[in-house]
Every structure is written in C-alpha cells, then in structure tokens.
C-alpha cells in the first residue's frame, strides 16, 4: 500500500484502527465466507487530513468505502433504498 511509505503513516494507521473499532462497535458488518457464485465487492481506504482554522492538521480520518460500482443490478441486488426526511421533520 502506497500510504505505508508516507512519513506520517503511524498517524494514518491509528486512524484506520479507530475506523475499524467504530465499525465493530456499531455492528455494521461481519466477516463471512462468500458463496461460490458471489460477486465479491472490493473496498478501499480513503484518507483525509482534517485541518483546523489555521491550516494545521488537527485529525487524521480514514474511511473504508465499498467499490459499489462493480455491483450488477438484478444479480448482486434487487432493490435500493435511500431514507429521505422532509426538512420540517429535521
């Protein structure tokens, strides 16, 4: 991974561990063995350095994102759902 060559890699690694701990605590996923016919969706890490008002790095943020563009409608999923709230409700 290219990020491991960055001089501030230990800070990014800490951000990755924090993200994984958050996902585990929220029970948003679990590791499963895929069925033989499954189209396994890949993932990648997205890194962002959050800066304060002066422009100094205040926090390192790592986010694990799914590569959903490799999914095939009708094969990998049937329906999509996006919750929508009215402005008055929020």
């Amino acid at each position: 991974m290219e990020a491991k060559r960055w001089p501030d890699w230990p800070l990014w690694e800490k951000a990755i561990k924090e993200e994984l701990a958050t996902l585990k605590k929220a029970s948003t996923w679990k590791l499963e063995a895929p069925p033989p016919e499954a189209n396994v969706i890949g993932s990648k890490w997205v890194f962002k350095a959050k800066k304060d008002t002066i422009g100094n790095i205040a926090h390192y943020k790592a986010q694990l994102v799914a590569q959903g563009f490799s999914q095939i409608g009708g094969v990998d999923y049937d329906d999509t759902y996006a919750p929508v709230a009215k402005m008055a409700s929020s």
Side-chain angles (χ1 to χ4, degrees), residues 12-72:
W12 290 114
E13 189 173 32
K14 181 180 177 222
I16 288 171
K17 289 177 181 176
E18 288 172 359
E19 174 73 357
L20 290 173
T22 300
L23 292 172
K24 185 175 182 178
K25 183 178 179 185
S27 298
T28 56
W29 64 277
K30 64 180 178 175
L31 191 58
E32 296 271 341
E37 71 281 354
N39 176 21
V40 179
I41 305 304
S43 62
K44 71 175 190 170
W45 285 103
V46 176
F47 300 105
K48 183 161 187 167
K50 302 285 187 166
K51 298 184 179 181
D52 61 16
T53 54
I54 303 170
N56 298 321
I57 296 175
H59 185 72
Y60 289 82
K61 176 76 176 153
Q63 185 176 13
L64 185 63
V65 296
Q67 296 172 325
F69 58 82
S70 63
Q71 292 179 311
I72 302 166

Side-chain angles (χ1 to χ4, degrees), residues 1-6 9 16 45 47:
M1 179 160 61
E2 180 185 329
K4 288 185 177 183
R5 292 192 293 261
W6 297 343
W9 169 248
I16 288 171
W45 285 103
F47 300 105

Side-chain angles (χ1 to χ4, degrees), residues 65-88:
V65 296
Q67 296 172 325
F69 58 82
S70 63
Q71 292 179 311
I72 302 166
V75 176
D76 297 316
Y77 64 91
D78 294 319
D79 292 323
T80 59
Y81 174 75
V84 178
K86 293 181 182 178
M87 193 61 153

